[in-house]
Amino acid sequence: MQQRLIKVHEDDNVGIALTNLSEGEIVPFQNDNLQIQNLTNAKHKIALEELSKDAKITMYGVLVGKTTKPIKKGGLLTTENVKHQSESVQGRTEKYRWNPPDISKWKDRTFLGYHRPDGQVGTQNVWLFFPLVFCENRNIQILKDAFEKELGLGKISRQRQLLRQLIQGKRPNVDEDAVLGERTFENVEVKFITHQGGCGGTRQDSEMLARLLAGYIKNPNVAGATVLSLGCQNLQIGLLKDALKSLDNDLQKPVLIYEQQQMGTVEEMLNTIILESFEGIKEANTIERKPAPLSKINMGLECGGSDGFSGISANPALGYASDILAALGGSPMLSEFPELCGVEQELVNRCVRDVDAERFIDLMKAYEQSAERVGSGFDMNPSPGNIKDGLITDAMKSAGAAKKGGTSPIQAVLDYGQYVTRAGLNLLCTPGNDVESTTGMVGSGANIVVFTTGLGTPTGNPIAPVIKVSSNTEMAKKMPDIIDIDTGPIIRGETSIQQMGEEILEYVIKVASGEITAKADILGQDDFIPWKRGVSL
């Protein structure tokens, strides 16, 4: 019989409903019979003891809120009787000791990747086109249309087929498979990104964008790049070159840069770009996959559209996979700083170096203060969808979200646009916004991303596979076209967090080797949104 209520940590005074519970229902729980006071949907929280007004609420062993009015034992926690509260953070308060997982079955495992001259290994082989400024977006789109159609990279979608059938007066058949063009090159992908930055904002925004784009070129999934510049924008070609030099003083990748204001007509420029880029793409196509140790995997850890089950199924399972990778010498990367509010002390204590503990505190404080200056704050992070599915305070959401990072020591703390250089778990300062965060992790070197979700989100990335992990089976069945792995069996007690974590890592290896294509890639979900910190001028 499935367990109906769970207490995550021994110190918690609230539990999570694993199934819908009726008002007045008696639920056996830990040698007690708990009477449910309110109709409670699965994923929502129930008081396990009488809570007076201003009582502290503990989940995952940390403070996640306080009551605004009394709550009876068995009562439902809502936004009407609970508000956000978290513990204050200090410097390191204790020495962290880690008990790593057994990696004996993993230490000799390899994946098939694309080896780069700098020692990095890609999970994909991409020639990337991008602009330095939004003024060049149209030219990028022209190039995208030409390359995708002539290289057979695009496909005729079912929606396009449906419209074609209607125009031809045929009976609609939306079950037909999408038609793929005949591919010219087998070993290289050609991808295109656009953005709305590069000029018009602050100089700091352009500098950060330059670092981010340099990180995309440096990323091991990229074989080479074609860059378009207008000429007069804030993000000058020199800024990008300086950012590249700071990352790698001896970059051995072809980077083709074109400045429109120096080249005459649009047609002349685009023809030159196509001629020269085609040669680079042909050369990139000669690179083939070869075995590489799992330590060459830099795995971004992301969540979005989270629900009340995310913190007890998908996130801790991904955290266990992260721990295995860290123990193997790989580099998992945890981001979304607004969703680490309330667990800062634990993360500070896990920092190997004092400089990183202090840096994490400083970045968190600066971020929250910048939000408060515009009338917001971390307490406003949970989305309507989060709240509807049981995540009613930011600390409650954060305590579950942080489980993606497992338990391994934190080797480095990075700001947005900085590249990973230390093996082991890295913290990267990004927003909680799914795409801005994923964009940042890939720019910091992630060659694959694992993305947990409870409500469903299609987010992908142009150069790195994004594997979707559902927290519950209901959503996985409803949205099978975007979900790669279902951790719902954890909720039903059919498998353990550790077993599911190993299953996630096995899937990562297959995607990294090109044996399986992540659903986001199948959908062509190439999302790219840089974080813009400054105001628009």
Side-chain angles (χ1 to χ4, degrees):
M1 187 177 191
Q2 182 183 348
Q3 188 177 356
R4 308 197 67 197
L5 187 66
I6 187 173
K7 179 179 177 180
V8 181
H9 190 278
E10 62 181 2
D11 294 334
D12 293 355
N13 56 10
V14 297
I16 303 171
L18 299 180
T19 63
N20 294 339
L21 302 174
S22 303
E23 181 179 349
E25 183 177 355
I26 304 298
V27 177
F29 183 71
Q30 294 188 345
N31 301 318
D32 189 13
N33 289 320
L34 186 70
Q35 184 173 16
I36 305 303
Q37 301 295 322
N38 316 89
L39 175 65
T40 302
N41 291 328
K43 309 177 186 180
H44 286 262
K45 314 303 180 290
I46 292 175
L48 299 179
E49 60 188 46
E50 296 286 334
L51 298 174
S52 60
K53 183 182 178 182
D54 295 326
K56 292 183 176 181
I57 297 169
T58 303
M59 272 190 66
Y60 302 96
V62 298
L63 178 65
V64 297
K66 74 173 183 178
T67 60
T68 58
K69 57 182 70 173
I71 304 176
K72 292 182 179 180
K73 183 178 180 180
L76 175 66
L77 275 64
T78 71
T79 54
E80 301 298 319
N81 57 24
V82 171
K83 70 176 183 179
H84 168 83
Q85 186 171 342
S86 60
E87 296 284 5
S88 59
V89 62
Q90 310 169 44
R92 285 200 284 180
T93 58
E94 59 184 53
K95 186 174 182 180
Y96 187 70
R97 290 180 173 83
W98 184 43
N99 183 25
D102 181 6
I103 58 170
S104 55
K105 65 179 283 189
W106 302 95
K107 63 181 181 179
D108 295 324
R109 292 287 300 277
T110 61
F111 72 100
L112 294 175
Y114 297 96
H115 293 246
R116 307 301 180 191
D118 62 2
Q120 296 186 102
V121 180
T123 64
Q124 290 187 326
N125 192 37
V126 175
W127 187 279
L128 183 64
F129 286 76
F130 65 83
L132 291 184
V133 62
F134 56 81
C135 305
E136 292 297 320
N137 283 348
R138 177 180 176 275
N139 290 329
I140 290 289
Q141 291 294 347
I142 293 172
L143 292 167
K144 179 180 180 182
D145 182 68
F147 274 93
E148 287 190 345
K149 286 181 178 178
E150 296 307 317
L151 297 185
L153 301 175
K155 64 182 179 181
I156 302 175
S157 69
R158 289 179 177 175
Q159 290 70 39
R160 186 174 165 189
Q161 289 185 70
L162 173 60
L163 183 58
R164 178 181 293 179
Q165 291 162 359
L166 292 172
I167 292 171
Q168 295 173 346
K170 294 181 179 180
R171 181 179 178 181
N173 180 7
V174 295
D175 292 328
E176 289 183 5
D177 289 333
V179 179
L180 286 170
E182 184 177 349
R183 289 179 60 89
T184 304
F185 299 122
E186 290 300 322
N187 293 329
V188 64
E189 297 283 340
V190 183
K191 292 295 185 78
F192 303 80
I193 57 179
T194 58
H195 57 82
Q196 300 304 314
C199 200
T202 65
R203 294 296 192 272
Q204 291 86 347
D205 281 333
S206 291
E207 290 167 0
M208 179 181 288
L209 181 57
R211 291 194 296 271
L212 180 70
L213 294 172
Y216 269 67
I217 294 173
K218 172 73 172 176
N219 189 291
N221 289 359
V222 171
T226 297
V227 183
L228 275 63
S229 168
L230 178 60
C232 57
Q233 72 273 358
N234 286 348
L235 205 175
Q236 290 285 296
I237 292 172
L239 273 180
L240 178 67
K241 289 183 175 179
D242 288 345
L244 281 170
K245 190 174 182 180
S246 69
L247 285 180
D248 189 340
N249 199 33
D250 185 31
L251 184 69
Q252 297 182 48
K253 287 183 183 180
V255 181
L256 311 179
I257 304 177
Y258 302 90
E259 188 163 275
Q260 182 172 357
Q261 290 172 346
Q262 300 296 321
M263 296 189 68
T265 68
V266 171
E267 184 174 2
E268 289 172 338
M269 179 182 73
L270 293 179
N271 289 347
T272 300
I273 290 171
I274 290 172
L275 285 167
E276 296 178 358
S277 298
F278 184 74
E279 293 303 315
I281 294 167
K282 281 200 304 183
E283 183 64 27
N285 189 55
T286 64
I287 306 170
E288 296 182 349
R289 292 182 182 271
K290 296 178 181 179
L294 300 187
S295 59
K296 295 297 184 179
I297 293 178
N298 293 351
M299 185 168 69
L301 312 171
E302 181 66 27
C303 64
S306 299
D307 71 347
F309 284 166
S310 293
I312 59 175
S313 59
N315 289 348
L318 177 54
Y320 189 74
S322 169
D323 281 349
I324 296 173
L325 185 61
L328 290 167
S331 301
M333 192 182 306
L334 181 64
S335 61
E336 298 182 294
F337 274 27
E339 297 179 9
L340 300 178
C341 176
V343 293
E344 296 101 327
Q345 190 62 60
E346 175 197 339
L347 296 174
V348 165
N349 288 342
R350 284 168 60 184
C351 287
V352 172
R353 302 179 299 178
D354 288 337
V355 64
D356 288 307
E358 294 167 3
R359 182 173 176 77
F360 176 60
I361 294 172
D362 290 343
L363 285 170
M364 285 291 284
K365 286 181 178 178
Y367 195 159
E368 185 162 26
Q369 288 168 2
S370 67
E372 290 171 349
R373 281 196 296 270
V374 294
S376 188
F378 285 174
D379 61 311
M380 299 179 71
N381 176 265
S383 69
N386 295 149
I387 294 169
K388 182 181 178 182
D389 266 44
L391 300 175
I392 59 175
T393 74
D394 183 58
M396 188 179 291
K397 180 180 179 181
S398 297
K403 296 298 179 184
K404 302 191 304 293
T407 60
S408 66
I410 295 165
Q411 301 294 336
V413 176
L414 309 175
D415 201 358
Y416 201 84
Q418 290 187 303
Y419 206 84
V420 63
T421 59
R422 291 174 64 88
L425 180 63
N426 284 248
L427 296 187
L428 175 66
C429 182
T430 76
N433 178 290
D434 302 345
V435 180
E436 289 176 339
S437 177
T438 302
T439 296
M441 286 192 292
V442 175
S444 291
N447 56 10
I448 198 163
V449 177
V450 183
F451 189 126
T452 67
T453 182
L455 304 176
T457 172
T459 303
N461 184 266
I463 69 168
V466 179
I467 298 168
K468 290 292 167 38
V469 179
S470 71
S471 71
N472 64 91
T473 300
E474 180 183 2
M475 191 270 292
K477 289 181 176 179
K478 184 170 64 175
M479 306 178 78
D481 57 331
I482 71 169
I483 297 301
D484 298 283
I485 302 171
D486 173 27
T487 63
I490 294 175
I491 302 298
R492 298 190 297 276
E494 297 169 1
T495 190
S496 69
I497 286 170
Q498 292 76 18
Q499 289 171 326
M500 188 59 71
E502 292 194 351
E503 183 177 323
I504 289 172
L505 187 55
E506 287 284 4
Y507 201 93
V508 166
I509 295 170
K510 290 179 180 178
V511 173
S513 299
E515 295 177 29
I516 298 175
T517 302
K519 298 288 182 66
D521 280 347
I522 293 173
L523 291 172
Q525 194 78 34
D526 292 340
D527 299 313
F528 179 83
I529 303 179
W531 183 20
K532 184 178 179 181
R533 274 176 166 163
V535 296
S536 183
L537 299 177

